Each structure stands twice: as structure tokens, then as C-alpha cells.
Amino acid sequence: MNQEEKLQAEKKYNKWIVILSIAVPIVVAILFGVRIPNVAPLSFLPPIYATINGFTALFLVIAFVAIKKKNIVLHENLMTTAVLCSAVFLVLYVAYHMTSDSTKFGGEGAIKYVYYFILITHILLSIIIIPFVLITYVRAITENFERHKKIARITFPLWLYVAVTGVIVYIMIAPYYV
């Protein structure tokens, strides 16, 4: 496939990237305000989705090492798994918040500011990362590897930060779950 064909293949996905990048945060925000009636709180989910975030981070790091070692198949499989893990995380996270009240952080002093800094940057970057992940993934599946590498240099550290801080936020707030 020549460069022009790769760009055309990539463009086919652009509409979906834009739609998902806008729709996902809006739908998540809307669903946060929805409570499913007559459903017991899914209070067992936070450690599960935190673990999924941990696995996502692990898959990202191993995929990074794999591509540096030119193990393309392992890299592709790990990145696809990381994308799927992120999607499962999102579904579980929304399900938890549709059945449970948000947990308030109970720490005081400097740790409270650390927690909120990590939480706010995690939330903002989790929104920002959506189009980056989608664009990076599309550039890989359309075999536009030079453009893939350029954006992956931005996507990787942002996505890794979101995955790791998701675990940190859980660890910091876990003592305050009811």
C-alpha cells in the first residue's frame, strides 16, 4: 500500500474518531447522573476496574519494550488488549457510578492536595487521551507506521499516566469506600 492509499484508509476512520472522542465523555458525564433503580450498589467493582487499569499500564509498558525489540506481533496483540482493557474499565466504571454514590476523599492536609491534583489530571487526560489512542490505533491498522510512530510518542506517556494514576486514585480513596 503506497502512502496515498494509507492516508485514504486512515481518513475512513476520522469520522468515527471524532464521534467517539466527543460522544464518550458526554455519555459518561450523562450516565454519572443516572441511577439505575432497584439495583444493589456494585461496590465490588472499584478494585476490579483499578486492577484493569494496572493491567493496561503493564500491557503498555510490555508493548513498548516489544516494539523496541522489533516484536511487532506481540506489540500489536498487547496494544489491542490495552484498548480492550480500557473499554472494559470504562463500562465497569460507569456501571459502578450508576449504582453507587461517589466516595469522598477523607484525607487531610497536604495529601488532600496531592490526591486532587492526581485525580483532576487523571480525569482531564482520560478525556484527552481518547482521540490520541484512536488515531494511534488507526494509523497502525492502516499500516501508516511513520505517522503511527509520531503520534505514539505522545499517546504512550499520556495513556500510561492515565492508567497508572487510575490505580493511584483507587489506592488513595480505597480506605474511604463505605
Side-chain angles (χ1 to χ4, degrees):
M1 193 181 311
N2 67 36
Q3 187 60 26
E4 185 58 36
E5 291 170 328
K6 291 175 185 178
L7 289 173
Q8 288 304 318
E10 189 180 316
K11 283 182 181 181
K12 291 178 187 176
Y13 293 96
N14 286 346
K15 175 177 64 172
W16 290 108
I17 291 170
V18 170
I19 290 169
L20 289 171
S21 298
I22 294 169
V24 169
I26 290 171
V27 169
V28 169
I30 290 168
L31 292 177
F32 256 62
V34 173
R35 289 287 178 261
I36 302 173
N38 305 317
V39 174
L42 301 175
S43 55
F44 63 91
L45 286 179
I48 295 170
Y49 61 68
T51 301
I52 291 170
N53 260 337
F55 278 119
T56 300
L58 185 63
F59 295 145
L60 291 172
V61 170
I62 297 170
F64 178 79
V65 172
I67 201 62
K68 290 296 181 188
K69 292 183 175 185
K70 308 274 192 253
N71 190 338
I72 295 168
V73 173
L74 179 60
H75 175 78
E76 288 173 349
N77 291 335
L78 288 166
M79 293 310 298
T80 299
T81 304
V83 169
L84 293 173
C85 281
S86 290
V88 169
F89 160 82
L90 189 58
V91 169
L92 296 179
Y93 182 77
V94 169
Y96 169 77
H97 284 283
M98 290 179 72
T99 63
S100 309
D101 293 327
S102 291
T103 301
K104 304 290 182 226
F105 182 72
E108 297 178 6
I111 196 69
K112 183 176 182 177
Y113 296 105
V114 171
Y115 171 78
Y116 281 110
F117 174 80
I118 294 170
L119 177 64
I120 291 167
T121 58
H122 170 79
I123 291 168
L124 292 175
L125 288 174
S126 71
I127 295 166
I128 292 168
I129 197 64
I130 295 168
F132 281 93
V133 169
L134 295 173
I135 292 166
T136 305
Y137 194 76
V138 164
R139 288 181 180 177
I141 64 173
T142 58
E143 300 178 6
N144 201 337
F145 297 120
E146 285 308 310
R147 288 169 50 87
H148 169 78
K149 282 191 254 182
K150 285 181 182 178
I151 196 165
R153 289 185 179 105
I154 300 166
T155 305
F156 171 72
L158 292 176
W159 193 2
L160 184 61
Y161 180 86
V162 169
V164 170
T165 56
V167 176
I168 293 169
V169 165
Y170 169 74
I171 290 168
M172 292 180 79
I173 203 166
Y176 307 105
Y177 281 113
V178 178

